[in-house]
Amino acid sequence: MPPPSLATLITLLTPLFPSLALVSAHSHLAHILINGQLYHGFDPRPNQPPNPPSHVGWSTAATDDGFVSPTDYATSNITCHIRGTSPPAHAPVRAGDRIHVQWNGWPVGHVGPVLSYLARCESDTGCTGVRKEELRWTKIDDSRPVMELEGKGKGNGEGRGVPGQKWATDVLIAANNSWVVAVPRGLETGAYVLRHEIIALHFAGRKGGAQNYPLCVNLFVEGLGDREGPEEGKFEMDAFDARWFYEEDDPGVLVNVTAGLKSYTVPGPTLAVGASPVPYAQQSPSVSRGEGTPVVVTRSTKTVPFTAFSGVTTPTMAAGIKGRYTRMH
Ligand SMILES: *[C@@H]1O[C@H](CO)[C@@H](O)[C@H](O)[C@H]1NC(C)=O
Ligand SMILES: *[C@@H]1O[C@H](CO)[C@@H](O)[C@H](O)[C@H]1NC(C)=O
Ligand SMILES: *[C@@H]1O[C@H](CO)[C@@H](O)[C@H](O)[C@H]1NC(C)=O
Ligand SMILES: [Cu+2]
């Protein structure tokens, strides 16, 4: 008789050891914090409390909290996860600020890069209802070095997804499953989508085995204008289509992480000129000091608070949205 698969074992043992269920859990982006203020992501799972209408995270159809496969790399599912849809709310942030991205946990074995991209939304309503096929992206963080070798004497490898290797995801887990993203100082005022993505490589030794978790949030960035500083090191936006980012046999996507890797090639476009990712040593946990007030974009570079926005929908909806929104505070 063949030994039971890991999945079967988990199914058999879960009633006895509920924590084992976590082994099969994937994840989603729970919320972001900007200067201590919390803005909600989107929880795609059924049988959870409803998402607040003020969520800035794009909704997805990833009801299993799962991933996008390499078979979907050329489709819009890779842009902002499966059937990703942009919500009305945007989190206000200033160029130069840092955004603390909180994942709803992360499995230790799911090693890989933690990547962040931005795309500008040109419409009058910002990123609300934007066609994701039209978004053009700039990579602002590639979590380099992504994988570092840890020699003997440099810790015992405990808590590492792959013994002897320290991955960006190990840094993320040590920071309470979170990652800090720097908003480039040179960004102009306007609405942007932040696309934050982990590529889990535990099955990536087989073709098609990589698992991408691309989660999007809407931002409204207040640019620094003339205060931005010297021309030198100026930030430059690129214009990549997410459907061209990856191919299933890229060296950073088709890679056996347990085969004694000496280095790792980050997949996708190169980091933007003037981008300044937050180094590993500054990745750290952070707690919310309260709910932030998201904004709705009205005329490209003008916004109103999300609570006021409920007034522009139909009267019954407005009452509903306002009521539910106020109760969150
Ligand atoms: C996205 O993924 C879903 C679920 O696998 C699939 O039904 C849908 O056709 C995909 N969308 C595109 C644009 O390929
Ligand atoms: C990955 O490498 C390990 C160690 O060499 C090997 O045991 C395993 O079979 C490889 N996996 C694949 C999918 O090639
Ligand atoms: C870790 O993140 C959770 C949210 O997922 C938060 O409730 C908790 O306070 C954080 N812990 C620390 C030590 O920052
Ligand atoms: Cu998983």
Side-chain angles (χ1 to χ4, degrees), residues 255-312:
V255 56
N256 184 345
V257 296
T258 57
L261 272 194
K262 293 281 181 287
S263 65
Y264 176 76
T265 309
V266 188
T270 50
L271 194 65
V273 172
S276 44
V278 176
Y280 287 1
Q282 292 172 34
Q283 297 292 342
S284 60
S286 182
V287 289
S288 160
R289 292 199 300 268
E291 293 266 344
T293 303
V295 297
V296 170
V297 181
T298 52
R299 266 200 299 107
S300 186
T301 57
K302 300 269 182 295
T303 64
V304 295
F306 182 82
T307 42
F309 164 72
S310 59
V312 302

Side-chain angles (χ1 to χ4, degrees), residues 31-310:
H31 61 248
I32 60 172
L33 299 176
I34 298 171
N35 299 318
Q37 302 284 297
L38 184 147
Y39 300 89
H40 296 273
F42 180 85
D43 189 340
R45 298 169 299 173
N47 310 318
Q48 295 293 318
N51 286 283
S54 61
H55 63 90
V56 299
W58 283 43
S59 59
T60 78
T63 51
D64 61 350
D65 238 2
F67 51 86
V68 179
S69 288
T71 48
D72 265 357
Y73 278 176
T75 79
S76 61
N77 278 340
I78 195 63
T79 307
C80 291
H81 218 312
I82 296 168
R83 299 203 180 96
T85 306
S86 173
H90 297 61
V93 63
R94 243 178 269 167
D97 276 351
R98 288 181 168 194
I99 299 179
H100 184 96
V101 179
Q102 182 69 54
W103 287 79
N104 187 47
W106 192 253
V108 171
H110 283 29
V111 300
V114 182
L115 310 172
S116 297
Y117 301 81
L118 283 176
R120 178 90 189 255
C121 302
E122 306 282 358
S123 103
D124 273 0
T125 51
C127 300
T128 306
V130 72
R131 286 194 65 236
K132 54 201 166 187
E133 294 81 2
E134 286 169 9
L135 293 171
R136 293 295 174 265
W137 300 91
T138 301
K139 194 185 240 172
I140 58 164
D141 187 348
D142 59 5
S143 68
R144 254 172 230 275
V146 181
M147 192 277 294
E148 291 177 296
L149 295 177
E150 292 198 312
K152 286 202 172 62
K154 279 189 168 180
N156 55 10
E158 226 172 83
R160 297 281 189 252
V162 180
Q165 299 174 0
K166 179 183 173 185
W167 285 85
T169 44
D170 294 317
V171 176
L172 175 136
I173 291 167
N176 193 23
N177 309 305
S178 68
W179 195 264
V180 184
V181 180
V183 181
R185 289 179 61 79
L187 270 197
E188 288 170 22
T189 297
Y192 295 81
V193 182
L194 169 65
R195 178 183 183 279
H196 183 72
E197 175 181 44
I198 304 178
I199 308 180
L201 300 172
H202 51 297
F203 290 142
R206 289 199 187 85
K207 199 159 176 153
Q211 304 182 351
N212 294 57
Y213 293 78
L215 279 316
C216 291
V217 295
N218 286 346
L219 303 176
F220 185 80
V221 176
E222 191 192 317
L224 297 178
D226 293 341
R227 289 165 294 157
E228 191 225 311
E231 286 290 306
E232 212 177 317
K234 213 173 164 58
F235 178 68
E236 286 177 23
M237 293 285 281
D238 292 315
F240 298 106
D241 186 323
R243 294 168 293 180
W244 306 337
F245 280 176
Y246 314 122
E247 288 182 17
E248 65 177 2
D249 48 9
D250 284 346
V253 166
L254 179 58
V255 56
N256 184 345
V257 296
T258 57
L261 272 194
K262 293 281 181 287
S263 65
Y264 176 76
T265 309
V266 188
T270 50
L271 194 65
V273 172
S276 44
V278 176
Y280 287 1
Q282 292 172 34
Q283 297 292 342
S284 60
S286 182
V287 289
S288 160
R289 292 199 300 268
E291 293 266 344
T293 303
V295 297
V296 170
V297 181
T298 52
R299 266 200 299 107
S300 186
T301 57
K302 300 269 182 295
T303 64
V304 295
F306 182 82
T307 42
F309 164 72
S310 59

